[in-house]
Amino acid sequence: MRHDFGWVFVWVFLINTIFSVVANNITRTHPIRDGETIVSTGEKFAFGFFSPRGSDLRYVGIWYNKVKIQSVVWVANRERPILGNGGIVAIGDDGNLIIREGNGRIVWSSNVKVGESNSSTFLRDTCNLVLSVGENSKLPLWQSFNFPTDTYLPDMEIHMDIHEGGEKRVFTSWRNATDPSPGNYTMGVDPLEVRSTYLFVFKLTNEGNGSVYFTYTPSSNSDLVRFQIGWEWIQRQERWINDGNLWSKVQQHPSEECDWYNHCGAFGKCSSMDENNCICVEGFVPTDSEQWRRGNWTGGCVRRTQLRRCAVGNVLTMEDGKTDGFVVVQNVKLPDFVDYIGNEEVY
């Protein structure tokens, strides 16, 4: 009797290969273990376990599927990594997406009220990881777009409430190159500065009641473009270059030293045209002359002569009878988050 075990092996191999490529979801009966991934429909992004370069800790995140350099764009358990390779991503008993250690302890959950026993998680080609009932559900129960990490991508909707005290979603840097836990720097949009519907290739959509969101669409849909806030506090826009297998910088901010926050300290003025970058405004001297000579200007400047003034009517006068005044400082950019205080009738 002839047994075609070879054909059985080939069919099993082909079936496993096909399903490992096309699977883009996690269900109650289809979890993923460390070493397995799900891939978005167009094979643009992958979701699974990874370790940052130089680290043995295991995280769950999303990265570009066909970019040869590991380029993680979203991390779930950024504050609770897993030791060892026993981790599992699954749909929990309550319908939430969960991450479990090998001992069964839950280290992360989507933590929403699901109310459905047949929820699933899908990875979309926009890089949005969605928990829903059915892949085409218009009302996801949870989505990663609402919980960004450090990277903003095309077609990602960033929602904001422009009312005072309203929710502002921001991107938070990694702590360092090997630790994706929340770092010291954030990137976002100031709603007070949003004036028009279209800002270059950004589009602002008003949903009403003070709720708005913006999206970014690159000039070419084939380009892989990302905006990222680095752990060293540099915000970059980069484009992937296939021929060179590298991320090419489109722009970055700060682009020069004078854009660095508090570079010259209080009452200091920065000029990229000057060799020493920083000078004190008129009437001020360095707080620490030695540090200033060494190129550490963050201590700023203090008044050369303390003001001695008293009020006579509405005029401020010095003790010798001279009046106080203001010195005009030209061709400077005001600090971020400046507050304008004064008479609205003054132009």
Side-chain angles (χ1 to χ4, degrees):
M1 180 179 295
R2 180 180 178 183
H3 299 282
D4 290 329
F5 291 112
W7 284 107
V8 173
F9 174 79
V10 170
W11 277 111
V12 171
F13 174 79
L14 288 175
I15 290 172
N16 288 337
T17 301
I18 291 170
F19 278 101
S20 67
V21 171
V22 302
N24 72 327
N25 66 330
I26 298 171
T27 66
R28 184 71 64 87
T29 58
H30 179 237
I32 62 170
R33 302 177 184 276
D34 197 331
E36 300 174 337
T37 59
I38 62 172
V39 178
S40 62
T41 304
E43 300 186 6
K44 190 173 182 179
F45 295 99
F47 170 81
F49 289 84
F50 75 97
S51 290
R53 183 175 300 177
S55 172
D56 293 327
L57 298 175
R58 302 297 284 169
Y59 297 88
V60 174
I62 303 173
W63 58 87
Y64 288 97
N65 185 43
K66 295 184 178 181
V67 169
K68 294 182 179 180
I69 300 174
Q70 185 188 67
S71 302
V72 176
V73 297
W74 184 80
V75 184
N77 59 324
R78 60 189 308 193
E79 296 185 78
R80 300 189 67 182
I82 294 176
L83 283 171
N85 298 321
I88 297 175
V89 183
I91 300 297
D93 293 336
D94 62 354
N96 273 286
L97 180 67
I98 61 172
I99 302 172
R100 290 201 309 258
E101 292 181 324
N103 60 12
R105 185 171 69 99
I106 296 175
V107 299
W108 181 89
S109 170
S110 54
N111 196 30
V112 292
K113 186 176 181 181
V114 176
E116 295 283 349
S117 59
N118 60 337
S119 57
S120 303
T121 296
F122 301 88
L123 180 60
R124 295 178 175 169
D125 251 356
T126 57
C127 191
N128 196 14
L129 188 70
V130 175
L131 177 70
S132 64
V133 180
E135 183 174 6
N136 297 319
S137 174
K138 294 183 178 180
L139 294 174
L141 302 168
W142 174 92
Q143 56 183 335
S144 60
F145 274 7
N146 288 345
F147 304 90
T149 303
D150 67 332
T151 305
Y152 175 62
L153 299 171
D155 299 319
M156 181 182 287
E157 295 181 1
I158 298 301
H159 293 256
M160 301 177 292
D161 185 341
I162 62 176
H163 293 117
E164 185 175 355
E167 183 181 9
K168 313 292 188 298
R169 295 198 178 105
V170 297
F171 301 82
T172 306
S173 68
W174 286 26
R175 184 161 298 277
N176 57 52
T178 62
D179 182 359
S181 64
N184 297 321
Y185 304 102
T186 59
M187 174 178 71
V189 172
D190 183 356
L192 298 178
E193 296 299 323
V194 177
R195 302 297 186 209
S196 61
T197 302
Y198 289 92
L199 303 170
F200 302 105
V201 287
F202 291 89
K203 179 182 178 182
L204 180 71
T205 302
N206 191 339
E207 297 181 298
N209 298 321
S211 178
V212 300
Y213 69 88
F214 71 94
T215 53
Y216 167 79
T217 303
S219 56
S220 172
N221 289 330
S222 62
D223 287 344
L224 298 182
V225 180
R226 67 179 182 180
F227 296 83
Q228 189 175 54
I229 176 68
W231 60 269
E232 76 285 47
W233 67 278
I234 303 294
Q235 179 268 313
R236 299 179 179 86
Q237 178 189 1
E238 297 177 316
R239 178 180 290 108
W240 176 253
I241 306 298
N242 274 320
D243 293 341
N245 286 324
L246 54 81
W247 287 100
S248 174
K249 182 179 70 176
V250 177
Q251 61 90 20
Q252 74 173 35
H253 186 82
S255 58
E256 58 181 42
E257 290 187 6
C258 284
D259 285 329
W260 294 0
Y261 183 75
N262 201 38
H263 183 51
C264 295
F267 302 108
K269 184 174 69 171
C270 186
S271 172
S272 57
M273 304 299 292
D274 294 334
E275 181 179 355
N276 293 327
N277 276 153
C278 295
I279 60 174
C280 294
V281 297
E282 186 176 344
F284 289 77
V285 293
T287 301
D288 187 328
S289 298
E290 180 60 29
Q291 290 296 321
W292 199 268
R293 282 193 293 271
R294 293 179 179 179
N296 179 9
W297 302 292
T298 55
C301 308
V302 294
R303 290 186 182 276
R304 178 180 288 110
T305 303
Q306 294 299 315
L307 296 179
R308 297 171 296 160
R309 62 193 183 192
C310 57
V312 179
N314 292 324
V315 179
L316 293 176
T317 63
M318 302 294 289
E319 291 180 353
D320 59 4
K322 296 181 180 179
T323 60
D324 279 343
F326 295 93
V327 175
V328 176
V329 181
Q330 296 180 329
N331 301 321
V332 294
K333 183 181 74 173
L334 291 173
D336 292 335
F337 311 116
V338 63
D339 290 326
Y340 296 91
I341 301 174
N343 192 325
E344 293 181 356
E345 296 180 358
V346 176
Y347 298 94

